[in-house]
Amino acid sequence: MDVEALEREALAAIAEARSADELEEVRVRTLGRKSPLKLALREVRDRKSGMALNAIRERVEQGLAARQAELAQPTEDPTFDPTLPGDEIPRGSYHLITRQRRRIEDVFVGMGYEIFDGREVDTVENNFDALNTAEEHPSRDPRDTFYLDDNTVLRTHTSPSQIRAMRAMEPPVYVASLGRVYRRDTLDATHTPIFHQVEALAVDRHVTLADLRGTMRAFAEAIFGGTREIRMRTSFFPFTEPSVEFDMTCFLCDGAGCAVCKHSGWIEMGGAGEVDPNVLAGVGYDPDEWQGFAWGLGIDRIAFARHGLPDLRLFWENDIRFLSQF
Ligand code: PHE
C-alpha cells in the first residue's frame, strides 16, 4: 500500500472540507474503523511500518483538529459590502424656538446690542411695581399670573429685564433679553401658558419714536427678509409713554393680502413705546437727560408665522416628526 498517497489524499480532503459535516465525513473515511489506514494498522506485523502508520494517523488527526478550529471561526459576512455608503447616524437638531432665539440674538448683536439674561422667577417689584403698573392693574390678578408667594411671580413678560438691566448698568444702555414667560392661559391652538418673548431696550440721549421705528424695521427685515414696512397703532402699557402696538407688512404677500396675514397685509409683531419717565426715575436715571424705547414681542408667534404652523402646541409635544423638520 502506498501510505504516502493515503496521507496526501487525507490531508487534501481535510483542506477541502467546507463545513463541520463535510469534515466529519472525511474523518470517518480516513480514520474510521473501515478506513484503509485503520485496516492497514490492524494488519501490521513489524514495528517499523507500525510506527510509520501511527505517525501518519497522528498527522491526519492533527490536520482534522486544525481544520475544525478553522471552520469554527466566524467568517466574513458576504452580505457586508464596505464599498456601499453606511447607514447615516441620526443627528439631533435644535428646537425651532431655540433656533429662532439664536437668530434674534444674532440680529441684536449685529445692531450693537448686548444680550442680557433676566430671571424667570422674579419679584412682584420688578415684574409690576418698577414698571409703573398700578395696584389695581388686571395683569396682577392671580387668575392671570402665577404667584409663588406674595412677593414672587413667574414673570409674565420679559419687561422686568429692563429694570434689572438698568439697575445693573449706567446709561447708555442697549440690551436685548430673551426667554420664557408665564401666564395662566388655557392651552389651545393659539395659547400656551409658557411662551417666549424678546425684549429690546435702548436708553440714550435724544432717543425718539423714529429710532424705535427704524430699529423695528431693521429687525423685521433681518428676520423675515425683503423690504418691510412698519405700522404703529396707539396702545397702552404702564411702562411706556406713548405706547404703541406695531405691525409689519406680511412677509409672504408684501402687503397684498394672503392667508398668512388673514388678508390684511399686516402681521402683528408686539408692543412698544418710549420708556416712561417714571420707570427711568425709578431706576435712578435722570429722565431729563435720558430717554429710551422698549419693545417686546413673542418669539413663538414669529416662528409660528414664519413656518405657517397650525398649532402652538406643536412646540411642546416633542413629536420627532415635527422637530426633525427643522
Ligand atoms: N411687556 C409687554 C407685553 O408683554 C410688551 C412690551 C414690551 C410693551 C416693551 C412695551 C414695551 O405685552
Side-chain angles (χ1 to χ4, degrees), residues 207-258:
V207 175
T208 69
L209 273 185
D211 297 313
L212 172 59
R213 188 188 193 95
T215 308
M216 285 169 173
R217 185 166 173 173
F219 175 81
E221 291 180 347
I223 295 291
F224 289 94
T227 306
R228 309 263 66 90
E229 298 298 330
I230 297 293
R231 172 174 89 174
M232 292 181 181
R233 292 172 282 118
T234 53
S235 185
F236 174 80
F237 298 100
F239 37 94
T240 45
E241 182 58 37
S243 300
V244 299
E245 308 237 5
F246 65 108
D247 309 328
M248 68 168 192
T249 46
C250 179
F251 59 91
L252 196 65
C253 63
D254 272 335
C258 70

Side-chain angles (χ1 to χ4, degrees), residues 157 159 162 183 197 199 237 239-240 271-273 294-296:
H157 50 177
S159 298
Q162 291 185 37
R183 290 182 197 174
Q197 284 187 334
E199 191 87 6
F237 298 100
F239 37 94
T240 45
W295 94 57

Side-chain angles (χ1 to χ4, degrees), residues 159-171:
S159 298
S161 298
Q162 291 185 37
I163 304 302
R164 286 185 171 275
M166 287 190 285
R167 290 211 167 119
M169 302 173 191
E170 290 297 320

Side-chain angles (χ1 to χ4, degrees), residues 1 6 29-45 53:
M1 190 176 69
L6 205 68
R29 193 147 35 89
T30 54
L31 293 180
R33 270 187 303 125
K34 290 176 187 149
S35 61
L37 192 62
K38 278 294 163 76
L39 293 175
L41 268 166
R42 214 172 295 156
E43 300 291 294
V44 85
R45 288 294 171 263
L53 285 172

Side-chain angles (χ1 to χ4, degrees), residues 22 30 40 69 136-137 156 161 174 179 184 186 194 197 204 209 219 223 278:
E22 275 178 45
T30 54
E136 59 288 349
H137 194 278
T156 59
S161 298
Y174 289 86
R184 282 191 184 270
T186 306
I194 311 176
Q197 284 187 334
D204 209 330
L209 273 185
F219 175 81
I223 295 291
N278 284 344

